[in-house]
Amino acid sequence: MTDLPRNAVTRSAKLAALPLGFAGRTALGLGKRIGGISAEVVAQEIQQRTAEQIFKILGELKGGAMKLGQALSIFEAALPPEIAGPYRATLTRLQDAAPPLPAAVVHKVLTEQLGDDWRENFLEFDDRPTAAASIGQVHRAVWHDGRQVAVKIQYPGAGRALMSDFNQLARLGKLFGVLLPGLDIKAVLGELKERVVEELDYFKEAEAQHAFALEFKDDPDFCVPDVIAANEQILVTEWMDGTPLSKIITEGTREQRDRAGLLLVRFLFASPGRVGMLHADPHPGNFRVLDDGRLGVLDFGAVNHLPDGYPPVFGRLTRIFNQGDMTTVVQGLRDEGFILPHITVDVEALRGFLAPYVEPTQVEEFTFSREWLQAQAASVADLRPSNVVRQLNLPASYVLIHRVHAAGIGVLCQLGTTARFKDEVIRWVPGFAA
């Protein structure tokens, strides 16, 4: 794993450079103020350079730093594109092209986890990985009973690297406060750390995937491969063929892209009510379009447990927003912790920020596009304290839901999907149709 600095001293040094750099820039700013430059100009310059350094270092690290970057994706819209753009590109590269483990290391992990006779479990085992991600990689094999299987193997040391990142990032709360004064970053990090501990335990992933497989067995719209065997660091599931969603994005017909986007939304909205869980990593690499038109779903390491189903507050506040009652919307956001008590927001600015994201629920048919997403980002792309995005908080209990919303919208815009999304919200999101 050549692009993951796993040595604890190296990783700590990279993260420790963040507050040191900020202190240096603050001192520089003081000098400029003495020299007659306005405080507002100096503050904005400090914020921009701080953002630049944060994103550069988070982009160089994987593990916990990347998880944090993903969770804060929507706040990138509050930063200039010249800063956020390279960081997003880095995240994409890390997700899509993680370097594979050498075959010798794969065999060593299999021996440690399954015993010296691990090969007796398989009739065939391909040493070349078919996929690689932030904490593990997948190999194709043939199980001892002849079934085609996917074998997911966790990288050695992945857990230690992740925990090291989070312990370091937890010390940087004040630094993030410079950029996002309305965000309780410690609560976000705490929630992410808990979820990552679950993601490292393949037993928990196996339980989640099996629950989804049972619920969606013989479903006309979805396919989830069932679990065959698992321990803490090895997961064996049924193999699933199909066209990767990333290929549908680049080469699919209009009809294929429209259907894939609609099914993605249906799966994400329906799952909490049907399974009591939300698939929390809607990355294109985790989906396949099967020959029969169903959407195949992979990777259940990150799930949000919602035993009571999808939170009704989203549907209720969306409906109230559509009715024009911003006073109730603002109070509802405060009640849920999206606006902290000490923060005052410009109601019209908030309305302008929320309106595009609510628009798909106001019309019978809606088209997501890259241009639409770029317009939303451009509307809030500045570092002024009055920027409403920077005044908002991400409550810990909504970290994974936000991650799904932000990533899901990104995938829909890549697909350019046109569909009747309002129908899906009415059917699956409690509180909207009340």
Side-chain angles (χ1 to χ4, degrees):
M1 301 214 18
T2 54
D3 69 344
L4 170 52
R6 279 170 45 201
N7 180 282
V9 175
T10 302
R11 299 176 73 80
S12 297
K14 280 184 177 293
L15 291 169
L18 287 170
L20 292 175
F22 174 58
R25 283 189 299 278
T26 303
L28 174 65
L30 177 62
K32 287 186 177 181
R33 283 202 296 278
I34 293 173
I37 301 174
S38 74
E40 183 178 349
V41 171
V42 172
Q44 187 161 334
E45 183 176 336
I46 289 173
Q47 290 167 353
Q48 182 156 337
R49 291 187 180 182
T50 301
E52 216 163 28
Q53 188 177 19
I54 286 175
F55 283 178
K56 179 177 184 293
I57 292 180
L58 291 186
E60 289 175 358
L61 295 168
K62 292 184 86 175
M66 191 173 81
K67 300 291 184 188
L68 174 64
Q70 291 170 332
L72 298 182
S73 57
I74 195 169
F75 297 105
E76 292 173 39
L79 299 167
E82 63 270 18
I83 295 176
Y87 172 62
R88 282 195 293 268
T90 301
L91 281 184
T92 301
R93 188 167 63 252
L94 288 173
Q95 289 174 324
D96 291 342
L101 289 176
V105 178
V106 171
H107 295 170
K108 181 180 179 182
V109 174
L110 288 167
T111 300
E112 289 173 351
Q113 295 296 316
L114 304 180
D116 292 334
D117 58 350
W118 66 268
R119 287 191 180 276
E120 293 182 9
N121 293 293
F122 306 99
L123 299 179
E124 297 176 20
F125 185 91
D126 190 343
D127 287 340
R128 298 165 300 177
T130 60
S134 57
I135 64 171
Q137 65 188 40
V138 178
H139 292 255
R140 187 167 188 169
V142 179
W143 197 237
H144 58 76
D145 61 6
R147 281 181 288 178
Q148 296 283 326
V149 296
V151 184
K152 188 173 182 179
I153 301 170
Q154 190 173 124
Y155 297 136
R160 291 193 300 276
L162 282 169
M163 292 305 104
S164 173
D165 281 357
F166 278 113
N167 290 336
Q168 292 293 327
L169 287 166
R171 300 169 188 167
L172 305 179
K174 290 183 180 179
L175 185 65
F176 285 95
V178 173
L179 296 174
L180 304 164
L183 178 69
D184 183 356
I185 189 66
K186 288 187 177 180
V188 171
L189 283 169
E191 174 67 15
L192 280 174
K193 188 172 181 179
E194 286 187 28
R195 299 291 76 79
V196 165
V197 169
E198 292 184 0
E199 202 168 335
L200 287 165
D201 186 342
Y202 283 3
F203 267 135
K204 290 187 178 294
E205 179 173 350
E207 291 174 356
Q209 183 159 344
H210 180 58
F212 274 86
L214 286 179
E215 174 59 36
F216 290 106
K217 183 177 176 61
D218 300 323
D219 191 276
D221 293 326
F222 308 108
C223 177
V224 177
D226 207 349
V227 176
I228 294 174
N231 67 12
E232 288 88 345
Q233 294 181 305
I234 303 288
L235 178 61
V236 183
T237 66
E238 297 170 337
W239 181 263
M240 183 175 66
D241 285 312
T243 304
L245 190 58
S246 56
K247 190 171 183 180
I248 298 294
I249 288 172
T250 57
E251 302 176 18
T253 65
R254 162 61 65 186
E255 182 181 4
Q256 287 174 323
R257 288 184 284 118
D258 286 351
R259 176 167 173 78
L262 180 65
L263 289 182
L264 174 65
V265 170
R266 184 174 298 166
F267 178 77
L268 296 175
F269 280 160
S271 296
R274 293 182 60 175
V275 193
M277 286 182 279
L278 175 67
H279 184 291
D281 191 11
H283 182 271
N286 292 334
F287 299 91
R288 302 282 185 272
V289 175
L290 279 58
D291 290 343
D292 60 11
R294 288 182 298 166
L295 184 68
V297 188
L298 302 167
D299 197 341
F300 292 82
V303 297
N304 194 2
H305 293 272
L306 298 170
D308 298 323
Y310 206 83
V313 64
F314 285 107
R316 184 173 63 84
L317 291 182
T318 300
R319 170 171 50 82
I320 294 171
F321 181 95
N322 288 340
Q323 294 167 347
D325 183 359
M326 282 302 295
T327 300
T328 302
V329 169
V330 171
Q331 187 57 51
L333 292 174
R334 286 195 183 278
D335 292 343
E336 293 297 318
F338 288 97
I339 303 174
L340 295 178
H342 67 283
I343 294 293
T344 300
V345 297
D346 182 315
V347 174
E348 287 308 307
L350 180 63
R351 186 201 302 272
F353 169 67
L354 294 175
Y357 299 103
V358 175
E359 187 181 355
T361 71
Q362 297 173 328
V363 295
E364 295 306 311
E365 192 172 74
F366 185 80
T367 299
F368 283 94
S369 68
R370 296 173 191 269
E371 292 75 21
W372 174 84
L373 189 60
Q374 288 163 3
Q376 310 330 312
S379 69
V380 291
D382 67 69
L383 287 169
R384 290 174 296 182
S386 59
N387 182 349
V388 71
V389 179
R390 299 182 60 241
Q391 306 302 316
L392 299 179
N393 181 45
L394 180 59
S397 59
Y398 290 108
V399 164
L400 291 188
I401 293 176
H402 155 72
R403 175 173 159 180
V404 172
H405 284 181
I409 286 175
V411 174
L412 291 171
C413 290
Q414 289 178 310
L415 285 163
T417 299
T418 298
R420 297 176 63 88
F421 296 107
K422 181 179 178 180
D423 292 349
E424 301 302 314
V425 176
I426 290 172
R427 182 180 179 186
W428 299 111
V429 179
F432 181 77

